[in-house]
Amino acid sequence: MLLLIREHENTYGIDTTYICEIIYDHLKNRLPACPYGLVGMCNYKNQAIPVLSMSELTSLSGKAQEDRQKENMMLIVRVDEEKAAIEISALGEVVSTEGYKKIGQKYVVQSGQKVKISTVYEAEETILEIDLKATLENLKVR
Amino acid sequence: MGFFNEETLPMLEVYQQEMLSLEGELNQILAGTEMSRAFSIEDIHHVFRIVHTMKSSSAMMGMMELSHYAHKLEDLFQIYRNKEVLSSRETELAMELLYEFLEYVEGELLGIADDDFSPQDTAVQMAHLEEVMGVMGEKTEAAVELCVSLKKSCPMKAVRAFILINELKKCADIEKYTPDDLDDDLASDKITAEGLHLWVGAAKIEAVLEKIKKDNNVDQVQKVTKKAEKVPEPQKVQKPEKHQQESEKLGNAKFTNIKWENVSELSDCIGELLVAYSVFENERARLGNPKGLDQFGSAYLRIVKNLDQLTQSISMMAVTQIVPKLYRTVREVAKSEGKDIELHVQGEELEIDKKRLELLSKPLTHVLRNAVDHGIEMPQERIEKGKSPKGHIYFNIENDGSVLSVSVKDDGKGMDVNRILDKAEKKGLLKKQREVYTKAEILNFVLQPGFSTNDTANEFSGRGVGMDVVRDAMDEAGGSVTIKSVVDEGTTIVMKLPVTMTSVESIQFHIGTFECLLPIRQVLWVYTDADRERIVEKEEGRYFEFDHELLPVFSLKSKFGEETSKKERYYLILQGLKYKICLLTDDIVGETIAVEKPLPSILGTEYSRQTGISGLVLLGSGEIGYMLNADLLFRLYRREQRNAVTN
């Protein structure tokens, strides 16, 4: 099952097994020397977790600022043992990928995009399934 | 389903715990034996019981390789039980076999919970064990005592004896020799007066005699018939008092098994109780400190602090847990290199946090391996330098309450700074003129990843292999590593890291709009704008005069992406593990008890290096605070200075 999120004229899907909760208007703290791809930290149930922005992850460099202001929801996701929050502006539907045709395992990410895609599905619209683990790995400060 | 079936799978956790506990007991015995160089009869019985239990439990779990392996060891220790006393050679062999067995058990336990677990083959270990047991059979023959007189003109008799014994060991088992400590200053005198006595296996006696006679330094050699029936050395061993007390303590104490995850969760709960206290304090202040609430607050805090201390005491592990691994590392590398090295351990009775101990284990292995492999010279080279042929490594661990200090010192060849500098220059690591590098700066190059390569085998080669692992581990723990080295005298590596604590008494302040904290133990003094006369402007930067020292003044504002037009008004004098630094802040909020949480892995160690932030703190207001660390800040300052020079 994928939760669909539409950003920058693309439809992205996040495997629902990663999602712990969806929260609204949650307080976010700025992060000193905030690395690109991260937009801050938040106190989620007494845990300090990093906050990512969907529009920033999927945008080409420098185009996300405006869209970020519309983001008032957070998807709390758990990858392995760590949690993270992803800010989004609107929720799409939850779909089953059963019967969808996989048209590629690897999606060529455009320059500047931080998101990593695991599978591309062909349905009424093309769905790009986000590889959350690889995306978080890609954001690691090195 | 993996290796375990529905009958054995439910027992896996209990089996793991039991094996870990038995492994710990075996490690304890080996640590004691390393000190006394002998197994007491109690040890022999204890080892027998341990391997017997391991054999039965493993068979029950279907781990037949391990069970057969333990069974074979049990057979060997049954022989030792009957003998009651072991010769030094037998002790050495028994230790070697037990280390090998422990390594196998550790390997099995590491992978046992994996879905694709499958027991490792034991053919090599079993063959070794059988070989030793075969030798044991030969050992029932009488050993022959030889008395070797060295020529009067032979200088340094103890050193010559050492070389001769090493030569003889190539063709026969030398079970014992006297004087047994050839490092002793009086050893040469004893050889002159009483001769060098050797106990040699009867089977190879002729070959040994021939070899001795060919040695130019030998005057004569003769069999000592009256003492030849039996090797006289073995005596019932009394363990050092300290070891005995430890054993008694272990025997008398009442222990129970606790899952580490539960201790960790308990520690997290205490952290949450402390965060709740911060929220309470915030609310109390907001309500104008109503009467009665302060008493409740202090009682609550007292209980939580007690809980915190208790939990910390549960998390403590004795350093002895890792000592056998250290001995094993030294023993294995020394053996493969043909070196004779003694490891001296001090502070092993200390108890430190389990996480710290685990963190130290890997870097220590690297440091020791390097010391044996590249620090200590070959016996012949040491003799030529006028040193004792036996090398020495000193491992020391201390805890002063807030800082854990671990040092490894060797009496080897030391590091040649010129060669390190050449290598650094070749690798393009120099950021300034080579003449201005201090010795400490040069030695620090070996902490760079991959600094040393295998293409050179000289006095510093190999020191860099894995040394970045040491630096990374210390960075992760907010600690530091220092190298001191003198050519032909040896090298000392000191690792310092803060002791872990659930809660930290901290000072809270702002840098721009960011809520920041520092452990109070790192803050020596707080100055305000009124003390501006202490500022010293120099060409290379600003300094703050504190206690007759000029400390670099460091601002984080621009680094944190904050507005820099408004100047900071406070000067915090910070004391790190090695250096002091003056940090600028916008204000001081006050003191608080902070529970430091680790940074998420997405930020990691590199973020700490770039910002000076070691962790996160949940504040009473619900906001997130950033815990800074004096050592990270000093390193960040140094990094910026270096970059400024380069640019």
Side-chain angles (χ1 to χ4, degrees):
Chain A
M1 305 287 278
L2 296 179
L3 171 68
L4 301 186
I5 299 157
R6 294 179 178 83
E7 284 287 349
H8 305 296
E9 295 160 10
N10 281 330
T11 304
Y12 295 91
I14 293 180
D15 187 337
T16 53
T17 55
Y18 284 122
I19 302 170
C20 310
E21 195 176 348
I22 300 169
I23 52 177
Y24 293 84
D25 296 321
H26 194 78
L27 182 72
K28 179 179 73 190
N29 286 96
R30 289 168 58 234
L31 177 68
C34 195
Y36 181 70
L38 261 68
V39 291
M41 298 291 297
C42 79
N43 178 350
Y44 172 71
K45 296 183 178 172
N46 280 335
Q47 285 179 62
I49 63 172
V51 184
L52 289 64
S53 155
M54 189 67 189
S55 63
E56 197 162 306
L57 286 177
T58 57
S59 85
L60 304 176
S61 317
K63 289 192 178 174
Q65 279 294 352
E66 255 178 55
D67 300 316
R68 264 180 51 194
Q69 286 167 8
K70 297 178 203 155
E71 292 177 328
N72 64 344
M73 274 179 266
M74 281 182 190
L75 296 181
I76 306 297
V77 293
R78 181 206 287 267
V79 180
D80 294 334
E81 286 307 303
E82 284 204 65
K83 289 198 182 90
I86 305 175
E87 283 191 326
I88 55 171
S89 52
L91 278 176
E93 57 275 32
V94 175
V95 296
S96 163
T97 54
E98 231 172 84
Y100 284 3
K101 191 180 165 198
K102 289 183 188 177
I103 58 169
Q105 287 293 321
K106 296 287 168 202
Y107 169 78
V108 180
V109 177
Q110 287 182 274
S111 160
Q113 281 186 322
K114 286 278 180 183
V115 72
K116 293 277 177 194
I117 304 298
S118 59
T119 315
V120 182
Y121 293 99
E122 194 178 57
E124 289 111 52
E125 57 189 333
T126 303
I127 300 169
L128 309 173
E129 185 183 349
I130 295 176
D131 185 338
L132 264 186
K133 203 170 176 176
T135 303
L136 292 177
E137 189 61 36
N138 189 36
L139 290 173
K140 263 190 184 168
V141 180
R142 285 173 227 279
Chain B
M1 191 170 288
F3 176 79
F4 298 101
N5 57 32
E6 51 194 27
E7 224 175 89
T8 51
L9 194 60
M11 298 188 290
L12 181 59
E13 205 174 306
V14 177
Y15 172 69
Q16 273 176 293
Q17 277 184 15
E18 184 188 26
M19 291 296 280
L20 280 171
S21 155
L22 292 170
E23 191 194 325
E25 285 180 39
L26 212 45
N27 269 325
Q28 290 276 357
I29 295 170
L30 282 169
T33 309
E34 286 282 2
M35 282 186 271
S36 60
R37 308 307 302 171
F39 283 99
S40 67
I41 185 65
E42 289 81 15
D43 288 339
I44 295 171
H45 285 292
H46 198 166
V47 173
F48 180 85
R49 284 196 300 273
I50 291 170
V51 289
H52 175 80
T53 313
M54 283 182 164
K55 176 190 80 173
S56 314
S57 303
S58 302
M60 204 167 66
M61 294 299 290
M63 306 261 297
M64 296 318 293
E65 285 82 356
L66 179 47
S67 177
H68 290 147
Y69 190 2
H71 188 156
K72 200 82 191 164
L73 259 182
E74 189 187 354
D75 286 346
L76 177 70
F77 273 82
Q78 179 58 45
I79 299 172
Y80 288 160
R81 275 184 0 151
N82 295 337
K83 284 181 66 132
E84 289 203 349
V85 281
L86 307 186
S87 70
S88 57
R89 177 74 182 141
E90 284 166 339
T91 303
E92 281 294 314
L93 284 171
M95 286 171 75
E96 206 173 294
L97 290 170
L98 286 175
Y99 279 131
E100 205 167 270
F101 178 68
L102 273 173
E103 202 171 332
Y104 178 83
V105 173
E106 273 171 25
E108 292 296 273
L109 292 180
L110 261 180
I112 205 167
D114 297 343
D115 292 339
D116 58 352
F117 170 75
S118 149
Q120 296 293 305
D121 188 50
T122 54
V124 176
Q125 292 91 336
M126 290 290 261
H128 187 198
L129 194 42
E130 270 161 20
E131 187 192 325
V132 172
M133 289 176 82
V135 173
M136 282 282 302
E138 285 173 23
K139 288 279 159 60
T140 51
E141 292 177 42
V144 178
E145 182 184 347
L146 299 177
C147 177
V148 181
S149 307
L150 297 179
K151 286 178 182 163
K152 276 185 184 168
S153 58
C154 170
M156 295 193 291
K157 288 192 172 58
V159 173
R160 295 294 158 198
F162 177 84
I163 297 170
L164 176 64
I165 292 164
N166 270 3
E167 274 303 307
L168 297 176
K169 276 180 178 173
K170 289 176 189 168
C171 68
D173 282 337
I174 308 298
E175 298 200 5
K176 176 184 153 59
Y177 52 86
T178 55
D180 56 359
D181 186 1
L182 294 171
D183 264 353
D184 187 4
D185 294 341
L186 298 173
S188 287
D189 294 345
K190 279 183 189 166
I191 293 170
T192 308
E194 299 162 17
L196 170 69
H197 288 253
L198 304 167
W199 279 264
V200 184
K204 301 279 171 63
I205 190 69
E206 290 312 317
V208 168
L209 280 169
E210 199 176 327
K211 213 159 192 173
I212 295 173
K213 283 172 187 167
K214 279 184 184 167
D215 192 305
N216 290 336
N217 293 303
V218 174
D219 186 17
Q220 59 169 318
V221 53
Q222 56 190 31
K223 289 183 187 176
V224 184
T225 47
K226 61 185 168 76
K227 286 181 186 172
E229 299 84 27
K230 208 151 177 116
V231 179
E233 179 231 20
Q235 290 165 6
K236 290 208 174 176
V237 175
Q238 284 296 313
K239 286 276 170 181
E241 204 179 321
K242 187 166 70 173
H243 182 69
Q244 212 158 28
Q245 282 169 355
E246 282 298 314
S247 307
E248 279 165 19
K249 215 163 74 181
L250 281 170
N252 298 335
K254 284 177 183 162
F255 290 108
T256 183
N257 288 329
I258 300 175
K259 270 192 184 178
W260 282 112
E261 300 94 272
N262 290 350
V263 178
S264 178
E265 267 182 46
L266 181 61
S267 185
D268 285 348
C269 288
I270 292 164
E272 288 196 27
L273 287 172
L274 285 163
V275 173
Y277 176 75
S278 303
V279 176
F280 164 81
E281 280 290 282
N282 251 26
E283 281 301 296
R284 189 164 73 99
R286 197 178 61 80
L287 296 171
N289 296 323
K291 262 189 177 174
L293 280 188
D294 55 342
Q295 278 179 0
F296 168 79
S298 51
Y300 176 95
L301 192 60
R302 183 171 42 80
I303 294 166
V304 177
K305 278 186 170 176
N306 281 346
L307 262 176
D308 191 13
Q309 274 173 10
L310 278 172
T311 312
Q312 279 182 39
S313 68
I314 297 171
S315 314
M316 293 299 198
M317 276 176 81
V319 176
T320 44
Q321 298 274 347
I322 59 162
V323 169
K325 197 179 166 193
L326 307 182
Y327 279 119
R328 200 190 316 171
T329 304
V330 171
R331 171 189 287 269
E332 278 171 8
V333 185
K335 195 179 169 192
S336 73
E337 295 284 316
K339 294 176 182 176
D340 187 14
I341 298 172
E342 191 173 344
L343 175 67
H344 307 262
V345 177
Q346 227 182 359
E348 76 274 17
E349 68 285 352
L350 202 71
E351 288 194 331
I352 63 172
D353 184 85
K354 181 179 182 279
K355 284 182 190 161
R356 282 282 181 264
L357 201 58
E358 284 171 353
L359 184 129
L360 275 171
S361 175
K362 198 173 169 187
L364 268 176
T365 309
H366 279 283
V367 170
L368 282 172
R369 196 175 290 156
N370 276 337
V372 179
D373 202 2
H374 306 284
I376 304 278
E377 311 91 330
M378 294 298 285
Q380 190 59 42
E381 192 183 337
R382 291 179 66 86
I383 291 165
E384 283 160 14
K385 286 179 180 173
K387 292 180 178 182
S388 125
K390 187 194 262 184
H392 297 270
I393 298 176
Y394 303 86
F395 165 81
N396 185 36
I397 183 161
E398 288 170 24
N399 180 0
D400 76 355
S402 60
V403 177
L404 201 62
S405 179
V406 184
S407 67
V408 175
K409 181 182 173 192
D410 68 59
D411 67 348
K413 61 179 79 163
M415 296 190 205
D416 184 334
V417 285
N418 286 324
R419 301 195 76 147
I420 295 174
L421 206 49
D422 289 344
K423 188 104 186 170
E425 194 167 24
K426 219 172 173 181
K427 282 183 159 274
L429 295 171
L430 302 194
K431 306 280 184 204
K432 53 186 179 185
Q433 293 289 314
R434 58 180 285 157
E435 295 73 31
V436 288
Y437 275 93
T438 62
K439 188 176 179 185
E441 285 174 326
I442 297 168
L443 291 174
N444 272 341
F445 279 124
V446 303
L447 298 172
Q448 300 271 349
F451 179 78
S452 182
T453 56
N454 291 331
D455 57 17
T456 48
N458 50 44
E459 53 270 41
F460 71 90
S461 140
R463 281 280 177 189
V465 177
M467 287 302 281
D468 57 316
V469 170
V470 181
R471 191 195 61 174
D472 285 350
M474 290 307 110
D475 277 356
E476 194 184 315
S480 69
V481 49
T482 317
I483 305 171
K484 285 180 191 160
S485 189
V486 178
V487 172
D488 286 341
E489 283 185 20
T491 300
T492 306
I493 304 218
V494 182
M495 292 170 268
K496 286 190 175 182
L497 58 166
V499 175
T500 45
M501 277 175 271
T502 314
S503 58
V504 189
E505 303 264 354
S506 307
I507 185 161
Q508 193 179 336
F509 51 88
H510 282 104
I511 291 178
T513 54
F514 291 111
E515 299 276 0
C516 296
L517 302 99
L518 266 161
I520 281 183
R521 66 170 190 274
Q522 292 192 341
V523 183
L524 292 180
W525 210 263
V526 178
Y527 290 99
T528 66
D529 252 351
D531 303 291
R532 284 191 69 82
E533 74 277 4
R534 287 176 177 268
I535 296 278
V536 179
E537 300 282 354
K538 286 194 162 195
E539 199 182 332
E540 63 271 23
R542 291 171 81 199
Y543 293 85
F544 194 93
E545 192 269 313
F546 174 77
D547 201 15
H548 310 294
E549 253 186 281
L550 284 183
L551 310 180
V553 175
F554 192 48
S555 168
L556 281 169
K557 257 188 170 173
S558 64
K559 189 142 279 304
F560 280 13
E562 292 291 88
E563 176 60 48
T564 51
S565 57
K566 193 180 154 204
K567 292 290 166 214
E568 299 98 329
R569 293 185 300 120
Y570 286 81
Y571 303 83
L572 268 56
I573 308 299
L574 310 182
Q575 172 72 65
L577 295 171
K578 282 201 285 185
Y579 304 103
K580 294 189 191 85
I581 191 168
C582 170
L583 178 72
L584 293 173
T585 74
D586 284 293
D587 62 10
I588 300 290
V589 176
E591 290 178 17
T592 184
I593 295 168
V595 181
E596 187 177 348
K597 304 268 184 186
L599 289 169
S601 64
I602 200 168
L603 296 173
T605 318
E606 189 51 35
Y607 179 76
S608 289
R609 286 188 190 137
Q610 290 172 11
T611 57
I613 295 171
S614 63
L616 304 168
V617 176
L618 295 173
L619 301 171
S621 61
E623 284 189 63
I624 291 165
Y626 299 97
M627 181 63 86
L628 300 169
N629 174 288
D631 293 284
L632 287 172
L633 289 171
F634 190 81
R635 255 178 275 171
L636 180 58
Y637 162 77
R638 289 279 285 266
R639 191 176 177 167
E640 293 205 334
Q641 291 290 103
R642 273 199 304 272
N643 290 343
V645 171
T646 315
N647 296 330

